[in-house]
Structure formats: C-alpha cells, structure tokens
Amino acid sequence: PSSFNKCQHSMSSICRCLLQSGCAKVQFHIDTHNTFYILDPEQNIEVMNSKFQEWFTTESGWSGLVAEKPTADHYKKALTERDLFLYLGHGNGRQYVSSGTIEKLRCRPVTFLFGCSSGKLVTHGYMEPTGVPYSYLLAGCPALVGNLWNVLDRDMSSFAETVVKQLLSDCDGASLSTLISFARSSCNYKNLIGAAPVIYGLPLVLNKQ
C-alpha cells in the first residue's frame, strides 16, 4: 500500500551510475505508431481479448499477434525494430522465448509485460537475483514495466488500457513513472493489483516523434 501513487524504479548498476552523475531523467524519443503487441497468445484471457483486439488491430502502424503463440523470430523482430512492445498474456513470455535469446539481441523498445509476476526476480542467497527483466536490461532495453506478483485479469486490463491511452495521447514530455503511477488508480484493487507494476531501467521522459 505504501507504494501506491509513487514512482517505483528498480535500476541496474549502470542506471545508478547515470543518476549519480547528475542524469536524473533521460529524454527518450518514441514513435508510438511503431508498436508490436502480443495479445492473449494462449486464447484464454477473454477480458483482454475483448477489450484490446479490435482496438490494437486498427491502430495505425501497429502490428502483432492475437490468439497466436509467438515464435523466437517474432520476438527478435519486435525487440530490434519497434519502439514499443506490449505483452498481454500469461507470465512474462518466457515460455515462448528464452532469456538467453533476449540477451543476445539489441533491444530497442520500451517494454510492457502485463502478465502475472512478469517483473518478479528470483533470489539466490547472497548472489544477485535473476529474472526476465534483467535479461531485457542486459540486451539494452531502455525501460521495462512488469508486475511483482500475480494480478487479476480485469484489473490489469484496466491498467493496461489506461497506460496505452496515455502513450497514444498525452505522453509527450511526461515521465514513464508518472504514467504508471497515474494508471494505478484505474484498478479496482488499487493497493493490491495497482501496486504490482514497477519499472526496471532508466527514468525515461518520453518525447513523441
């Protein structure tokens, strides 16, 4: 509950060095028309499918998959050619592409993983934690939004809808963390589901091209 309406970032050592050097915010140019999405790949999240399918398939410049499991090639093209990557399915997509494959790419887009525990890291005692978010960062992803724990389909659909609408309308000059913070209030369970999303990576200020 204490994280609600706050900007939650988890930063790698490189990101911390940037901040310590006086770079409190990073200007990032983004073309919101250059988006790739993966929607309900296992065909069992009706709430998301009904809310987003018609919308996403008619957005200018967008391409993606609906009710279709992605291949590693889909991921490679999406993560190297697009400005935005949206994953609206179960988990973090690791069932379709390995962390090792992601780490070998030059990851370009700001990435949103809206699935359950998509931003969760696994601890290993005194060793550094591991997880899919770090694989994206190692590949050069500027920022990734993921959930720390399991979420409800309906609430996360509302959260995702609010985020995407902001990205398409008034994100120019806004920080990514502000957009995420605002979207938390769209969840019915604001202090549970709304508190799950966090940002990994740089503190981006988005400038639309």
Side-chain angles (χ1 to χ4, degrees), residues 92-168:
N92 51 32
R94 193 173 184 178
Q95 61 271 42
Y96 307 116
V97 63
S98 68
S99 294
T101 298
I102 293 174
E103 291 169 11
K104 293 175 183 178
L105 302 176
R106 188 169 183 176
C107 188
R108 169 179 170 177
V110 177
T111 297
F112 295 84
L113 306 179
F114 292 109
C116 289
S117 299
S118 54
K120 183 178 180 179
L121 299 178
V122 179
T123 58
H124 305 281
Y126 292 107
M127 305 297 289
E128 290 286 337
T130 59
V132 167
Y134 278 5
S135 295
Y136 277 84
L137 293 184
L138 287 171
C141 179
L144 177 145
V145 177
N147 295 311
L148 291 179
W149 49 78
N150 289 349
V151 293
L152 299 175
D153 295 345
R154 193 170 300 278
D155 261 9
M156 191 46 50
S157 294
S158 297
F159 176 85
E161 179 182 20
T162 303
V163 169
V164 175
K165 283 183 176 178
Q166 289 185 97
L167 288 170
L168 291 175

Side-chain angles (χ1 to χ4, degrees), residues 9-12 14-16 18-19 23-26 28 137 140-144 176-177 199-205:
H9 273 277
S10 178
M11 294 176 289
S12 65
I14 295 175
C15 298
R16 291 193 182 97
L18 285 172
L19 291 182
C23 185
K25 295 184 182 296
V26 178
F28 189 79
L137 293 184
C141 179
L144 177 145
L176 178 60
S177 56
I199 304 169
Y200 291 89
L202 297 171
L204 300 183
V205 173

